[in-house]
Amino acid sequence: MNLYDYGASSAAFRVRIALNLKRADYTRIPVNLLEGAQRTSSYRATNPQGLVPTLEVDDGKLLFQSLAICEYLDEVIPEPRLLPTDSLGRARVRALALMIAADIHPLNNLRVRNYLTDQLEITEEARLSWIQHWIAEGFSAFEAHLASAETGNFCHGNTPGLADICLVPQVFNARRFECDLSSWPKLVEIADHCCALDAFADAAP
Amino acid sequence: MNLYDYGASSAAFRVRIALNLKRADYTRIPVNLLEGAQRTSSYRATNPQGLVPTLEVDDGKLLFQSLAICEYLDEVIPEPRLLPTDSLGRARVRALALMIAADIHPLNNLRVRNYLTDQLEITEEARLSWIQHWIAEGFSAFEAHLASAETGNFCHGNTPGLADICLVPQVFNARRFECDLSSWPKLVEIADHCCALDAFADAAP
């Protein structure tokens, strides 16, 4: 498999963790977002959104969107499982994953940060407040969900899964953007616990 | 089942379509977003994110995040299927759904529109440009994906599924925000085709 990838991309980071957990062989094809490689017509022919990651599977088929890619990997390489076996547990893990992948990350990724600066011409201070605001909104809800008895050493029980795969890159991002994480001790504890595993550490930017 | 719901919420609209397609019985519990009912402590006790939808299933268990809820419904009420049976097809449909549910809608929902006006104090014109920009970015990529041979009368083949469930509320939203949809004829054709079905029409705001 080939992963169209960029080190600092949270979405690509998620897929790297999933591939590592599944012990899948893959080749990283760098797409330098800071140089605009994602906006070239050649990359748009690969991924019309001009985003990373894209996963090219062995028959040349292209897969998009990090959560869809992780679900695919979980179907074709069943062990270790990224989702619980029960439907209610699967719903909980998917919801936790989406709280980050839909409701935090898309508001703070590179294209949005660029729009805030280039089109809306807001100050660097206002931009940092924007980033920190959406992380705080999302992490406060995420921390509340982690009070559930279903939480273990990881977001759901005692094995890493899809929610952890989304959490770790977002915590990485939050630190990069100087968020004070002290209000969310459980999620930080889980993220740090994940980072002790090679599958997470080796995927880091 | 009880659905904590708001008519004009795209995310709640998705779940209403899914419930209708599955012919599930449910009771709508209104959460008036314009009046701020989602931010009350009583609703936050139900849904820590303070967002709709929340689905309360029959044992009182609460489910969150529209895509996680749709996946749950697809697991517990298998027919009609919202996802294809093959993993590559499932990856395609999930990716299309996420292009809207992660990369368009969260940028334009009420809480973000409020932040743009109240915190960043941008003009109404700049706010409308923001909304239209992210819809155009997302719909252009979505339309490109629909050029695939896998597209039929619906986003994937000839039965409605998870991608259509996300597309229809977003097209509804785009019209509400005065987007010129003429650049994306296929996506509009599919959305209009969906709206001829009772499951979609009955779910509309």
Side-chain angles (χ1 to χ4, degrees), chain A residues 44 46-49 51 57 59 61 63-69 71-72 75-76 85-88 90-92 94-96 98-104 106-109 111-112 115-116 120 122 126-127 129-131 133-134 137-138 140-142 144-145 150, chain B residues 44 46-49 51 57 59 61 63-69 71-72 75-76 85-88 90-92 94-96 98-104 106-109 111-112 115-116 120 122 126-127 129-131 133-134 137-138 140-142 144-145 150:
Chain A
R44 291 261 192 196
T46 300
N47 182 328
Q49 280 196 292
L51 297 173
V57 293
D59 61 357
K61 193 91 183 172
L63 306 186
F64 309 96
Q65 287 285 336
S66 61
L67 292 191
I69 293 171
E71 293 261 4
Y72 172 83
E75 293 182 5
V76 299
T85 51
D86 63 303
S87 290
L88 284 171
R90 295 161 73 84
R92 177 173 184 265
R94 286 181 173 129
L96 290 171
L98 285 159
M99 279 175 211
I100 290 169
D103 287 337
I104 302 177
L107 289 158
N108 289 346
N109 67 6
R111 61 183 193 153
V112 173
Y115 192 101
L116 291 169
L120 299 185
I122 68 173
R127 194 170 87 141
S129 294
W130 164 281
I131 292 167
H133 174 78
W134 299 116
E137 282 280 305
S140 295
F142 201 95
H145 280 285
E150 294 160 303
Chain B
R44 291 261 192 196
T46 300
N47 182 327
Q49 279 197 292
L51 296 174
V57 294
D59 59 356
K61 193 90 183 171
L63 307 185
F64 310 96
Q65 288 284 336
S66 60
L67 292 191
I69 293 171
E71 294 260 4
Y72 172 84
E75 293 182 4
V76 299
T85 50
D86 64 303
S87 289
L88 284 171
R90 294 161 73 85
R92 178 173 182 265
R94 286 181 173 128
L96 289 171
L98 286 159
M99 280 175 212
I100 290 170
D103 287 338
I104 302 178
L107 289 158
N108 289 345
N109 68 6
R111 62 182 192 153
V112 174
Y115 192 100
L116 291 169
L120 298 185
I122 67 173
R127 194 171 87 141
S129 294
W130 164 281
I131 292 167
H133 174 79
W134 300 116
E137 283 280 306
S140 296
F142 200 96
H145 279 285
E150 293 160 304

Side-chain angles (χ1 to χ4, degrees), chain A residues 132-154:
Chain A
Q132 292 174 345
H133 174 78
W134 299 116
I135 291 173
E137 282 280 305
F139 275 3
S140 295
F142 201 95
E143 185 81 5
H145 280 285
L146 292 181
S148 153
E150 294 160 303
T151 304
N153 292 329
F154 295 94

